[in-house]
Amino acid sequence: MKLNYQRLLDEKLSKIKETGARPRLLLHSCCAPCSSHVIEYLSSYFDITVYFYNPNIHPEDEYGKRAIEQKEFIERFPPAQSVLFAEGEYDAERFFELSRGLENEPEKGERCTVCFKMRLEKAAQYAFEHGFDYFTTTLSISPHKDATLLNELGEEIEKEKGVEYLHSDFKKKNGYKRSSELSSEYGLYRQDYCGCVFSRLESDKRNSMNNKPE
């Protein structure tokens, strides 16, 4: 039976609220737009550090643009005034090494699974080393990402790294809609491809097809 990850999150947040505690959450973020609603949503329950680890993003200047946008958004967004920012290493070679042989996989294929796992493992390792109570990712806010896959990976990595994974399906309860509203309100840079060179090529191909004269 398919799990309702939003319900699992609601139950966890309810228990946290009852205790009056503020656990430490490491929130892996893929970009500022995706983080916007998640920060707004979770900042009442956790002491959050946004962890920007995305060596899949290509080219490097695109990575830099997204990293700066993430940091500046945290500084500008009122609910994020107590949110911290941490940036992982831009190790593009690691992504290309893991995706070798998967270059022709379609979006949402095995290459994406490998990429998700790479980023979640690194986030969990950082969370373990720095004493966080939970880790999770903003990725589930996207309607193009498989929340079930992300949560299953998170559960596996929780067992390996020893830090609890916070279940989520942030697109639920109009989460994606709210992230779009906040992105518009704050004038956030919204890219038209996921991040890696392969998704960029797919995006360019789609744009080319759409712009063909009839």
Side-chain angles (χ1 to χ4, degrees):
M1 185 175 70
K2 189 174 181 180
L3 290 175
N4 186 325
Y5 292 106
Q6 179 61 51
R7 185 172 4 180
L8 291 179
L9 177 58
D10 286 341
E11 291 171 356
K12 176 63 69 174
L13 296 181
S14 179
K15 288 178 182 177
I16 289 171
K17 189 173 182 179
E18 287 175 6
T19 67
R22 284 185 63 85
R24 297 181 68 212
L25 170 68
L26 188 75
L27 176 63
H28 167 265
S29 176
C30 54
C31 62
C34 286
S35 76
S36 58
H37 163 69
V38 181
I39 291 171
E40 182 181 59
Y41 181 28
L42 297 182
S43 58
S44 297
Y45 301 92
F46 298 96
D47 289 333
I48 299 172
T49 294
V50 169
Y51 184 58
F52 193 84
Y53 174 72
N54 300 290
N56 56 303
I57 296 175
H58 182 87
E60 188 169 357
D61 61 350
E62 173 72 16
Y63 167 87
K65 182 186 287 188
R66 297 191 198 188
I68 291 169
E69 183 83 336
Q70 178 68 80
K71 186 176 181 180
E72 290 182 347
F73 173 69
I74 291 171
E75 294 169 352
R76 295 165 55 208
F77 190 42
Q81 294 309 298
S82 61
V83 172
L84 301 178
F85 175 79
E87 186 175 354
E89 180 185 7
Y90 181 66
D91 182 12
E93 289 306 312
R94 175 65 175 156
F95 169 72
F96 286 118
E97 176 187 342
L98 291 172
S99 60
R100 189 171 294 122
L102 302 172
E103 295 86 350
N104 295 318
E105 282 280 303
E107 196 96 16
K108 301 183 182 179
E110 183 61 25
R111 188 184 64 244
C112 292
T113 301
V114 167
C115 182
F116 296 156
K117 187 175 182 181
M118 171 190 72
R119 289 183 281 173
L120 283 170
E121 284 181 336
K122 195 74 169 182
Q125 185 64 36
Y126 186 97
F128 175 78
E129 292 173 354
H130 293 83
F132 285 83
D133 300 294
Y134 297 91
F135 77 102
T136 195
T137 178
T138 64
L139 286 164
S140 72
I141 201 167
S142 170
H144 304 295
K145 302 293 189 293
D146 184 343
T148 297
L149 172 62
L150 289 165
N151 282 281
E152 288 176 349
L153 288 171
E155 290 169 358
E156 291 175 14
I157 293 165
E158 173 186 318
K159 294 172 185 175
E160 296 169 5
K161 303 295 184 180
V163 181
E164 187 170 346
Y165 179 76
L166 188 71
H167 294 97
S168 72
D169 191 353
F170 290 123
K171 70 178 73 64
K172 296 295 180 66
K173 291 187 172 181
N174 290 319
Y176 179 72
K177 179 176 181 288
R178 180 58 179 157
S179 72
S180 297
E181 292 170 350
L182 288 168
S183 296
S184 178
E185 181 180 345
Y186 283 86
L188 298 180
Y189 165 62
R190 294 181 70 88
Q191 59 284 347
D192 62 357
Y193 68 104
C194 179
C196 74
V197 63
F198 310 111
S199 65
R200 175 65 180 268
L201 291 171
E202 284 190 36
S203 176
D204 289 346
K205 184 177 179 180
R206 284 194 303 269
N207 291 336
S208 176
M209 294 293 290
N210 291 336
N211 292 329
K212 274 188 176 182
E214 294 185 4

